[in-house]
Amino acid sequence: DEFVETDKFWLKKDGDLYLLKNRKNLMQALKDKKKEIRQFMRQNNIVRIDNSEDLSRIIAYYERLND
């Protein structure tokens, strides 16, 4: 038997939960700032959202946009 450890990232926004499996899911969850998020990801060479560090940076940026 073999165990495979995986991380799943969830985002709670406006009372809704989003499972962030890929970039498409992230863009759907943050669609009100989609253009800005895409630009941020390009500028910071973030291609995938499979690590918590990059995802945290994206969410922090999104929150700054909404301040």
Side-chain angles (χ1 to χ4, degrees), residues 4-47:
V4 177
E5 185 176 328
T6 60
D7 293 320
K8 290 187 179 181
F9 301 105
W10 291 85
L11 174 67
K12 185 174 182 181
K13 180 179 171 237
D14 300 328
D16 295 321
L17 280 175
Y18 297 89
L19 176 58
L20 304 178
K21 294 188 284 188
N22 54 41
R23 185 180 172 130
K24 182 179 177 182
N25 297 129
L26 175 68
M27 292 302 161
Q28 184 177 25
L30 307 178
K31 61 186 167 194
D32 59 318
K33 302 289 183 187
K34 186 176 181 177
K35 182 179 177 183
E36 293 90 340
I37 297 296
R38 277 191 177 152
Q39 184 177 8
F40 176 82
M41 290 176 71
R42 262 189 246 114
Q43 290 172 341
N44 291 277
N45 298 316
I46 302 172
V47 178

